[in-house]
Amino acid sequence: MAQAKKIALYILVVFVLYTIITSPKRSAELVGVGFEGVSSAAQSVGDFMTELVK
């Protein structure tokens, strides 16, 4: 089982590196979208907590 996890992780890392190398512009866009999603989620949680306190 541990060996399978190592192999899967290795394949994932190779795939990510390949994607970044072959299309860095698209990769940068995807990272930006990811950060926007995390930021939006954090903002929503903050808004929810603020409303709960009121």
Side-chain angles (χ1 to χ4, degrees):
M1 186 67 169
Q3 189 70 10
K5 287 183 182 180
K6 285 182 184 178
I7 292 171
L9 181 62
Y10 179 73
I11 290 171
L12 179 66
V13 168
V14 169
F15 175 73
V16 168
L17 289 175
Y18 173 78
T19 303
I20 291 171
I21 291 169
T22 58
S23 59
K25 188 174 183 179
R26 177 72 176 138
S27 298
E29 290 173 2
L30 291 175
V31 169
V33 167
F35 280 127
E36 285 178 24
V38 169
S39 175
S40 175
Q43 180 67 38
S44 297
V45 169
D47 292 344
F48 174 74
M49 292 298 178
T50 300
E51 289 299 318
L52 236 120
V53 171
K54 287 183 179 179

